[in-house]
């Protein structure tokens, strides 16, 4: 038996719609909360079947793909903007059920605009690089804020007086000793 499924994923819940291709029976479910354990419990019923699942490449897709693969299914990651374009102009309000159905139907007729799912080691590397980049940007933002607050008090850190003020608080000595210990 082959199952073709569409999942509309949000942080709070996931809406699923699937069809058994042999019988044509359409079923729906809501997975809440949208956490790994609930997704695994839901997908367990399809273990051993041929399962194809379409979901959009939005926040949280990775753990859902991992759980689909854990039951022997095949995940298809849809590009959100192109998927939305294929829906066309809205005739009525969009719903999670309609989104799940749309993904399922696109997958069934082989029109799903798929995104590449990188291997796990690349996903891990991307996550680390993005986190480091974000932390570096935030470090610079915090440095600018600190400079701005001190400047409001008439203290410029890039002057001899500013460095002396830092020394009086012990700030520079701690920074220097910490950086020296990292070099050892």
């Amino acid at each position: 038996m082959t199952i073709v499924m569409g999942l509309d994923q949000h942080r709070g819940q996931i809406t699923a719609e699937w069809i058994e291709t042999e019988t044509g029976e359409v079923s729906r479910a809501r997975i809440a909360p949208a956490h790994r354990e609930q997704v695994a419990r839901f997908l367990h019923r399809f273990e051993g079947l041929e399962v194809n699942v379409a979901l959009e490449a939005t926040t949280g897709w990775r753990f859902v793909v991992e759980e689909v693969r854990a039951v022997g299914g095949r995940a298809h990651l849809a590009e959100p903007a192109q998927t939305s374009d294929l829906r066309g102009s809205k005739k009525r309000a969009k719903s999670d059920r309609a989104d799940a159905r749309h993904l399922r139907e696109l997958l069934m007729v082989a029109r799903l605009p798929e995104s590449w799912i990188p291997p796990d080691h690349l996903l891990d590397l991307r996550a680390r690089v993005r986190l480091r980049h974000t932390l570096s940007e935030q470090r610079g933002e915090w440095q600018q804020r600190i400079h701005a607050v001190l400047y409001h008090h008439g203290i410029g850190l890039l002057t001899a007086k500013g460095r002396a003020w830092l020394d009086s608080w012990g700030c520079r000595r701690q920074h220097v000793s910490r950086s020296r210990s990292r070099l050892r």
Side-chain angles (χ1 to χ4, degrees), residues 13-180:
Q13 57 93 29
I14 298 173
T15 303
E17 180 176 296
W18 66 95
I19 186 168
E20 294 181 20
T21 57
E22 291 173 10
T23 64
E25 182 182 345
V26 175
S27 303
R28 291 177 196 84
R30 184 172 177 257
I31 308 162
H35 297 154
R36 182 181 292 271
E37 296 79 26
Q38 284 75 13
V39 171
R41 189 176 307 124
F42 166 75
L43 290 171
H44 181 69
R45 71 180 83 178
F46 302 106
E47 202 162 7
L49 302 175
E50 184 181 337
V51 182
N52 287 287
V53 179
L55 69 151
E56 288 184 328
T58 57
T59 303
W61 65 263
R62 182 177 178 179
F63 82 89
V64 176
V65 167
E66 290 169 354
E67 293 304 324
V68 168
R69 289 176 174 168
V71 297
R74 182 160 181 240
H76 301 266
L77 199 58
E79 200 290 321
Q82 291 176 5
T83 302
S84 179
D85 288 346
L86 289 174
R87 180 184 326 281
S89 61
K90 297 180 197 172
K91 293 178 178 63
R92 63 182 99 161
K94 187 172 88 79
S95 68
D96 295 343
R97 283 176 64 174
D99 287 345
R101 180 180 311 113
H102 181 61
L103 288 165
R104 177 187 58 80
E105 289 172 348
L106 288 174
L107 183 57
M108 285 186 71
V109 296
R111 291 198 57 219
L112 188 74
E114 287 195 51
S115 295
W116 177 60
I117 301 175
D120 290 340
H121 71 281
L122 286 182
L123 291 170
D124 292 338
L125 180 61
R126 283 180 175 181
R128 284 196 300 264
V129 168
R130 286 178 179 141
L131 177 60
R132 180 173 171 79
H133 177 73
T134 300
L135 292 174
S136 295
E137 284 181 341
Q138 288 177 352
R139 178 180 181 268
E141 291 168 6
W142 278 106
Q143 285 175 329
Q144 290 175 353
R145 283 181 171 182
I146 291 167
H147 280 268
V149 167
L150 293 175
Y151 187 70
H152 281 298
H153 295 284
I155 301 168
L157 292 179
L158 300 179
T159 65
K161 185 178 175 183
R163 287 191 298 275
W165 180 84
L166 276 178
D167 284 339
S168 72
W169 281 85
C171 296
R172 285 190 65 215
R173 276 187 232 114
Q174 289 174 357
H175 175 69
V176 169
S177 65
R178 265 191 252 126
S179 63
R180 283 185 187 150

